[in-house]
């Protein structure tokens, strides 16, 4: 569903819906090839629309990326909800962070765009992909903290920044997913409470 309020109040005309769908498909293909910084002009050209039409549907690059990645982010959030019912809150949080890392590694440039969204996001955009991920992870983190499986001074932003940084580091490696998983496993040992030395 289109993310902006203009389309939320009334359905799109058939031709506008076709343009919207073509833009999304072209954007997904361009991002897969060139990363999240793919040219908006190239996306419009591939979709067979003018730049003005692209910008009418997606006034900013961030809105376009959110639309491209929304389904995948919704799946990540569903994974978080499923893990929240599992025993072992610390393991559930770690499993979800690994799922986030797999998602970021397989979607080139997403780590950088999500990090920018965290710092430059417009709160008027509503439930953005970034907000959805933060909310899903915060619930798992709170559960892990209550179980004393994670240090109380760790925030979900800390953990997602860590995941994104790891993914950025291995983004162009042929075995990036395996490297991200290994580095994340190493890093997660630093968020566990330290045993008392008595």
């Amino acid at each position: 569903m289109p993310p902006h309020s203009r389309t939320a109040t009334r359905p799109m005309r058939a031709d506008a819906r076709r343009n919207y769908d073509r833009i999304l498909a072209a954007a997904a293909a361009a991002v897969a090839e060139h990363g999240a910084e793919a040219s908006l002009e190239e996306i419009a050209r591939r979709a067979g629309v003018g730049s003005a039409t692209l910008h009418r549907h997606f006034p900013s690059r961030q809105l376009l990326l959110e639309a491209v990645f929304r389904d995948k982010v919704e799946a990540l959030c569903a994974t978080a909800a499923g893990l929240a019912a599992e025993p072992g809150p610390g393991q559930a949080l770690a499993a979800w962070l690994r799922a986030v890392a797999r998602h970021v590694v397989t979607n080139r440039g997403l780590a950088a765009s999500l990090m920018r969204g965290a710092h430059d996001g417009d709160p008027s955009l509503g439930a953005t992909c970034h907000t959805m991920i933060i909310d899903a992870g915060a619930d798992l983190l709170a559960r892990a903290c209550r179980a004393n499986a994670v240090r109380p001074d760790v925030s979900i932003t800390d953990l997602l920044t860590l995941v994104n940084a790891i993914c950025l580091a291995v983004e162009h490696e042929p075995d990036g997913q395996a490297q991200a998983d290994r580095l994340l496993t190493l890093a997660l040992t630093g968020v566990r409470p330290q045993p008392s030395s008595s």
Side-chain angles (χ1 to χ4, degrees):
M1 175 179 292
H4 19 101
S5 58
R6 178 179 63 80
T7 55
T9 56
R10 65 174 190 221
M12 275 195 217
R13 295 184 335 250
D15 61 331
R17 169 51 79 180
R18 279 192 301 275
N19 285 341
Y20 179 89
D21 292 341
R22 286 200 313 253
I23 292 166
L24 272 186
V31 168
E33 289 174 31
H34 305 291
E37 295 302 317
S39 161
L40 294 180
E41 290 76 19
E42 172 66 12
I43 290 169
R45 188 190 65 70
R46 286 184 183 203
V49 301
S51 284
T53 299
L54 184 147
H55 288 290
R56 243 190 329 277
H57 286 288
F58 302 101
S60 71
R61 177 181 295 276
Q62 187 68 23
L63 280 173
L64 179 58
L65 290 174
E66 286 170 5
V68 168
F69 294 118
R70 182 170 295 273
D71 287 346
K72 294 174 183 181
V73 169
E74 286 172 352
L76 274 179
C77 294
T79 298
L83 287 167
E86 295 289 320
Q91 292 90 345
L93 176 63
W96 185 73
L97 291 171
R98 285 187 182 90
V100 172
R102 281 191 302 277
H103 169 71
V104 175
V105 167
T106 57
N107 292 284
R108 289 182 51 220
L110 182 59
S113 67
L114 289 179
M115 286 172 67
R116 271 195 307 279
H119 300 297
D120 305 329
D122 178 352
S124 69
L125 296 180
T128 65
C129 290
H130 179 73
T131 301
M132 291 164 63
I133 290 172
I134 289 279
D135 291 346
D139 291 343
L140 289 173
L141 176 60
R143 187 170 170 257
C145 285
R146 284 192 300 273
N148 200 34
V150 174
R151 291 180 1 203
D153 61 328
V154 173
S155 74
I156 193 60
T157 303
D158 293 335
L159 294 176
L160 290 173
T161 299
L162 178 66
V163 169
N164 282 337
I166 288 169
C167 292
L168 281 170
V170 302
E171 190 170 75
H172 299 291
E173 299 296 325
D175 60 344
Q177 198 163 316
Q179 286 190 40
D181 190 61
R182 178 181 167 276
L183 291 171
L184 184 58
T185 298
L186 290 171
L188 288 177
T189 61
V191 301
R192 293 190 182 124
Q194 299 300 311
S196 60
S197 55
S198 54

